[in-house]
Amino acid sequence: MSRRVAESQSLRDRGALVPRRLGDSATLRLICALVVLAATSACKREPAAPPPVILISIDTLRADHLPAYGYKDVDTPALDAFRRDAVLFSRAWSHTPLTLPSHSTILTGLLPAHHGVRDNTGFRFTGRTLASILHDRGYATGAAISAFVLRGESGLRAGFDAYDDHVDAAKGEQSLGAVQRRGDETLAVAQSWIGAHAQQPFFYFLHFYEPHAPYTPPEPFRSRYRNPYDGEIAATDALLGRLFDSLKQQGLYDRALIIVLSDHGEGLGEHGEDEHGIFLYRESISVPLLIKLPSNASAGKSIDANAGLADVAPTILSILGVSAPQMDGVARLDRTQILERAAAPVYIETYYPRFHFGWSDLHSLVDGDEHFIRAPKPELYDLTRDPHEQTNVLDARRRRYAALRDTLAPFVIEPSAPSAIDAEEAKKLAALGYLGSTVQTSGPLPDPKDKTETFRALQDAFRFYRDHEDEKALVAFDALLKREPEIVDLWDVRSKVLFRLGKTAEGIASAKEALRRNPSATQLAADLANEMLLAGDLRGAEQHAELALRSDPARAHELLARIALQQNDLVRAEREAALGGDGEPARYTRALVAQKQGRYDDVLRLTTNHALRADALARLGRASEAEQEFRAAIRSDPSQWRGLVVLLATQGRMQEAEQEIRTWASAAPNRTTYEQIAQTLEVLGDKDGARYWRAQR
């Protein structure tokens, strides 16, 4: 075969044989048609599928405690690897150091004054979220949150197909800020949902409450880190590593849009604040923000200009090519690149000191390298020369102070009163004797900086309460109330301490004083109703639960369901629980109904409450599973040790039961614990042991 013939056959085999007579007009038309067809075919590619969107919020995480931002004392391998794939915002700011208002901003692109949520309690979000926008575009939408303050009834459920807020809030003695779900439990919910929706466009919001106080990192992080705050950061990073690994295994990671951020920072003792909410210094408002684009576009780059969390929602929509409604934030990225934006100031506020302590609200503006704080005694800091904000340069920069003061002024929009009462509520309050004075929230108010001594005493009192050192807490609260009787939160939390100490009547009186001093804070009525219910005052509990129907309908209906349960009205109990929605408290109450009816399988189906599940499993004869649930319950509620001790004793494992009693006593060495141990031993018939523990001090 000749070389020419061989080449001709090779071309024919590939479908590319060209006619020899190129001058022929028909042949030329054929060639042109083939060229056009090939070009058209090349252009008709399938449009790229919308990328999955995963928004991860790590509550209370300071930017300057991450290696990605230069910190050296904690290891975060998952976030370090993620940073290499992502765009890092080196100067991202929260608009408020409070969980619910800040997440409302993240999910809407609106400042707190425009979405209306100005505090963690007393306000409810009523608008449209990022989830609503994407749901309308055909995205499946899901969320798993780890803090009670973000429960669906806050209004953030809007637009989500599934909003898993099964956070155990059954213990009425806890403050709402302390009610949380462990990160590994929330992660399991997220992984299950994402796995079920991996083949369709989806938006998922995943919220971890670590490293929020109290800082209790699990092992090995507890032993590895002297600073427990850093230990919780490392533990959360391990959870992120598990999430990213699962996304990679499912082929989702590379094509996904993933955002990792925090809602606010943490004081950690700087400027006299251990936690957050009171002040607006950098440690409480500087947050991490990292965005991984689909296909890892712009990987490893940084944006050094100031950005606010209000920019997150419009940036997500820009990357997805979705038109955004009017928002306060601006898009910082599109699907492939960083967008150039003119420098703009970032506004920040906190009304927490005003609503809770009667002190002045604070407002601030970050503009370039300067941070101006509007307060009764204003402050101005140079963030480049003084990143820890130790030197107020206001007197040396009077012109800049005046300019920043004027720039900030239009941002300050007065909030409506939290849970403003209507006429019907006013009648109910008057009938119960609550129409009295309220916390002063207008006129000249003290600068929080001038309340340093009081604030430190407050922190000590709340720490004693959180650590179950109830007798110390009571002494601290009583001393504070002699100086600051107008602080409603002191009366409120003092009532919970008294209740834990078994001083029921005094506890109820203290809770009533809190509501009397601020009748518009009808969310306090729900706490009071809970205390009355536990004390057996069903009529008082019902009256106060009804007061909370407008400000916190889900919790009010859940309380009314538990009241009906106490009255053995199971029909009404189920009806009220259903009105309470599908959150964990309502499901918990339905599980209580099922428990009372002996439907233990339904108890397991309805609730994630470890104590209820442990009881149901024990009654079903599933002792080993019951033991696991009791041990899980003990992590958040040491009183659940009594169930574990009884379970071990009924199995004849007396030596183990005795060891658990010793561990219980050492974990919470106080009179309340000793009394609970004594009651447990009485149930087991050990009267001598009960007398011994009652004698302990």
Side-chain angles (χ1 to χ4, degrees):
M1 181 183 296
S2 70
R3 182 177 177 181
R4 176 177 291 181
V5 172
E7 289 176 345
S8 177
Q9 286 183 339
S10 175
L11 289 169
R12 186 183 292 110
D13 291 340
R14 297 201 303 267
L17 183 62
V18 179
R20 281 185 301 173
R21 296 183 62 190
L22 295 180
D24 187 278
S25 61
T27 301
L28 287 173
R29 285 195 299 272
L30 175 60
I31 291 172
C32 292
L34 287 170
V35 170
V36 172
L37 180 61
T40 305
S41 176
C43 293
K44 286 185 176 179
R45 294 175 180 172
E46 289 295 319
V53 184
I54 303 171
L55 172 63
I56 303 167
S57 172
I58 305 172
D59 210 292
T60 321
L61 177 58
R62 287 173 57 150
D64 63 358
H65 271 246
L66 289 178
Y69 287 82
Y71 191 61
K72 305 298 185 184
D73 293 339
V74 66
D75 293 324
T76 57
L79 269 173
D80 294 348
F82 181 78
R83 188 274 173 271
R84 291 191 289 271
D85 295 335
V87 177
L88 179 142
F89 290 71
S90 61
R91 303 183 67 176
W93 305 92
S94 170
H95 299 284
T96 178
L98 295 167
T99 296
L100 179 58
S102 186
H103 281 98
S104 299
T105 289
I106 292 166
L107 291 170
T108 63
L110 300 175
L111 294 173
H114 296 150
H115 60 60
V117 180
R118 315 301 280 276
D119 193 15
N120 282 337
T121 60
F123 294 89
R124 187 175 186 276
F125 176 75
T126 58
R128 282 169 56 81
T129 66
L130 183 62
S132 306
I133 297 169
L134 295 180
H135 185 274
D136 291 347
R137 302 280 298 199
Y139 281 72
T141 53
I145 60 96
S146 300
F148 186 72
V149 292
L150 295 182
R151 67 198 185 280
E153 288 74 22
S154 68
L156 292 187
R157 187 194 302 273
F160 285 100
D161 299 318
Y163 192 90
D164 192 298
D165 58 356
H166 291 180
V167 180
D168 182 9
K171 279 189 67 61
E173 66 191 32
Q174 289 182 290
S175 65
L176 295 186
V179 181
Q180 59 179 294
R181 172 167 57 183
R182 285 173 39 190
D184 57 348
E185 296 176 358
T186 307
L187 176 61
V189 172
Q191 288 177 309
S192 176
W193 191 95
I194 291 172
H197 297 81
Q199 303 305 315
Q200 64 186 110
F202 69 80
F203 167 65
Y204 201 79
F205 168 44
L206 172 59
H207 169 257
F208 293 118
Y209 208 37
E210 298 92 349
H212 195 285
Y215 318 124
T216 55
E219 293 293 359
F221 307 103
R222 181 176 300 182
S223 301
R224 189 177 299 167
Y225 291 96
R226 193 166 64 179
N227 182 342
Y229 178 79
D230 287 346
E232 288 215 341
I233 292 173
T236 305
D237 182 77
L239 296 176
L240 288 177
R242 287 164 52 186
L243 173 64
F244 295 152
D245 285 346
S246 68
L247 293 175
K248 290 172 182 175
Q249 290 167 8
Q250 297 174 81
L252 293 173
Y253 181 86
D254 286 342
R255 62 187 183 90
L257 166 60
I258 304 176
I259 305 94
V260 176
L261 52 74
S262 180
D263 57 341
H264 54 73
E266 188 77 316
L268 298 180
E270 298 177 36
H271 294 95
E273 183 172 25
D274 288 343
E275 297 181 20
H276 55 272
I278 297 289
F279 295 128
L280 295 182
Y281 297 112
R282 184 170 188 166
E283 58 268 17
S284 295
I285 56 174
S286 175
V287 295
L289 175 58
L290 300 96
I291 299 179
K292 190 198 80 65
L293 292 166
S295 303
N296 300 355
S298 297
K301 292 186 178 180
S302 298
I303 294 178
D304 297 324
N306 290 316
L309 290 180
D311 296 335
V312 172
T315 297
I316 290 173
L317 295 176
S318 170
I319 294 166
L320 298 178
V322 175
S323 59
Q326 185 66 40
M327 293 180 174
D328 295 314
V330 296
R332 300 291 182 142
L333 302 165
D334 65 18
R335 188 153 183 168
T336 61
Q337 63 184 346
I338 296 170
L339 300 176
E340 294 296 327
R341 293 293 183 191
V346 179
Y347 167 74
I348 303 129
E349 70 176 34
T350 179
Y351 281 89
Y352 184 83
R354 172 168 155 186
F355 290 151
H356 293 264
F357 306 122
W359 305 339
S360 177
D361 45 287
L362 301 177
H363 307 262
S364 79
L365 202 70
V366 177
D367 189 13
D369 294 328
E370 294 174 307
H371 183 201
F372 167 61
I373 302 174
R374 191 182 92 164
K377 296 179 180 178
E379 302 162 76
L380 178 61
Y381 295 99
D382 183 328
L383 296 177
T384 299
R385 298 180 179 179
D386 180 24
H388 298 291
E389 298 177 320
Q390 298 298 305
T391 303
N392 184 359
V393 298
L394 186 143
D395 287 339
R397 302 184 183 185
R398 301 297 298 185
R399 289 187 178 179
R400 279 299 293 158
Y401 156 59
L404 290 167
R405 180 194 60 200
D406 293 345
T407 302
L408 182 145
F411 287 99
V412 180
I413 300 174
E414 280 292 295
S416 58
S419 302
I421 56 177
D422 59 22
E424 187 60 33
E425 286 175 316
K427 289 179 184 177
K428 291 178 182 178
L429 285 161
L432 293 171
Y434 286 122
L435 286 187
S437 60
T438 66
V439 172
Q440 181 187 3
T441 56
S442 60
L445 298 175
D447 192 318
K449 295 190 295 294
D450 294 336
K451 291 290 187 176
T452 302
E453 182 181 348
T454 298
F455 187 53
R456 286 175 180 159
L458 276 166
Q459 291 181 133
D460 288 341
F462 281 100
R463 185 172 61 254
F464 291 144
Y465 163 69
R466 188 182 65 213
D467 294 344
H468 284 250
E469 297 183 64
D470 294 329
E471 292 176 347
K472 288 183 179 179
L474 184 58
V475 171
F477 281 124
D478 286 345
L480 277 164
L481 283 168
K482 287 180 182 178
R483 303 200 308 262
E484 307 269 358
E486 73 281 359
I487 299 180
V488 171
D489 283 14
L490 292 176
W491 294 102
D492 179 33
V493 182
R494 177 178 178 268
S495 74
K496 294 175 172 61
V497 172
L498 287 163
F499 204 75
R500 286 201 309 219
L501 288 170
K503 300 180 179 182
T504 304
E506 293 176 64
I508 289 174
S510 186
K512 285 184 174 181
E513 183 65 17
L515 188 57
R516 187 191 72 77
R517 287 179 176 274
N518 192 0
S520 66
T522 51
Q523 69 273 10
L524 296 175
D527 288 338
L528 184 49
N530 187 67
E531 293 190 359
M532 289 179 159
L533 172 59
L534 295 175
D537 180 2
L538 300 186
R539 177 59 182 155
E542 185 171 10
Q543 290 174 317
H544 287 82
E546 289 174 348
L547 271 178
L549 277 170
R550 193 170 74 91
S551 61
D552 196 347
R555 192 158 183 240
H557 283 297
E558 184 266 329
L559 284 162
L560 290 169
R562 286 167 53 205
I563 292 166
L565 192 62
Q566 289 290 312
Q567 296 167 332
N568 208 33
D569 187 347
L570 301 186
V571 174
R572 184 186 173 208
E574 285 197 288
R575 183 175 68 248
E576 291 288 354
L579 290 171
D582 195 43
E584 177 63 14
R587 291 170 65 87
Y588 170 81
T589 303
R590 289 165 60 194
L592 286 174
V593 174
Q595 181 190 49
K596 199 158 189 175
Q597 294 173 332
R599 296 184 288 110
Y600 302 118
D601 287 324
D602 285 343
V603 172
L604 299 177
R605 177 180 59 81
L606 284 166
T607 186
T608 59
N609 178 270
H610 295 298
L612 264 185
R613 291 177 63 82
D615 175 81
L617 288 164
R619 294 176 186 276
L620 290 168
R622 295 158 62 178
S624 62
E625 295 173 81
E627 181 178 343
Q628 292 176 3
E629 290 286 354
F630 273 128
R631 293 191 184 281
I634 287 165
R635 285 194 285 264
S636 60
D637 179 9
S639 71
Q640 292 304 322
W641 246 301
R642 74 181 80 187
L644 178 60
V645 169
V646 171
L647 178 68
L648 294 173
T650 55
Q651 292 181 290
R653 299 159 63 185
M654 297 306 301
Q655 189 173 358
E656 293 176 68
E658 291 170 4
Q659 179 57 49
E660 291 296 343
I661 287 174
R662 287 191 289 271
T663 306
W664 180 6
S666 63
N670 56 57
R671 187 176 299 176
T672 302
T673 296
Y674 303 147
E675 176 59 29
Q676 291 172 345
I677 292 173
Q679 292 172 3
T680 304
L681 291 173
E682 283 178 339
V683 169
L684 295 172
D686 185 356
K687 294 182 179 179
D688 291 339
R691 279 194 295 271
Y692 168 81
W693 283 104
R694 283 204 173 96
Q696 302 306 302
R697 291 290 183 269

